Amino acid sequence: MSLRVASAAVATVGLAIAAYLTIVHYAGGSPVCAISHGCATVQHSRYAELAGVPVALLGLFGYVAILLSLLRDDELGRTVTALAALVGFGFSAWLTYVEIARLDAICIWCVGSAICMTVLAILSAVRLIAAPVSVSSSRIPPAMT
């Protein structure tokens, strides 16, 4: 399986998680939380929104951006994928810190999304670094004689 296909699969899982949490947010409910029982605490905290925008919706946009960038298999596509995944990873890391240190509650859905972003950051970084650099002949300066 290629890194691009693996990234698309992981991003699709993340998209499903973010979509579920976005729907729950706008429905005014609490997410199903069978394992840790902290999902409602996290979902209804002041950290569930950033500048009035639900964090779940930001995640939804992030996963869509990653999936769209994966449609391109060139240097620009790989760079955009890596940038979006690394920003998502950083944001997920901060939110995980908030869950543990400030809210004293763990949301299993948030953990799942954070795992997806971590895997995406790794896959996209490897994909970016391992890709051959494309050098077009028009960029090569003429030989100096």
Side-chain angles (χ1 to χ4, degrees):
M1 177 183 311
S2 74
L3 292 173
R4 189 169 161 216
V5 172
S7 295
V10 173
T12 301
V13 171
L15 179 69
I17 293 169
Y20 170 69
L21 291 174
T22 300
I23 291 166
V24 168
H25 175 85
Y26 284 113
S30 294
V32 175
C33 199
I35 297 174
S36 64
H37 305 294
C39 297
T41 302
V42 173
Q43 183 83 356
H44 298 294
S45 75
R46 67 184 180 107
Y47 298 101
E49 291 186 356
L50 181 66
V53 179
V55 169
L57 184 60
L58 294 174
L60 189 76
F61 290 151
Y63 287 115
V64 167
I66 289 169
L67 284 167
L68 289 174
S69 71
L70 287 168
L71 294 174
R72 294 183 64 134
D73 194 22
D74 58 4
E75 190 173 346
L76 177 62
R78 289 186 295 273
T79 302
V80 170
T81 301
L83 180 62
L86 290 170
V87 168
F89 168 76
F91 192 57
S92 292
W94 181 77
L95 290 172
T96 301
Y97 161 77
V98 166
E99 285 183 90
I100 294 167
R102 298 190 179 179
L103 298 177
D104 196 30
I106 298 292
C107 169
I108 196 67
W109 296 101
C110 302
V111 170
S113 181
I115 290 170
C116 287
M117 274 301 177
T118 301
V119 171
L120 282 168
I122 293 166
L123 289 173
S124 64
V126 168
R127 186 170 163 249
L128 182 64
I129 292 167
V133 176
S134 61
V135 179
S136 83
S137 59
S138 64
R139 290 190 196 172
I140 300 173
M144 297 180 74
T145 56

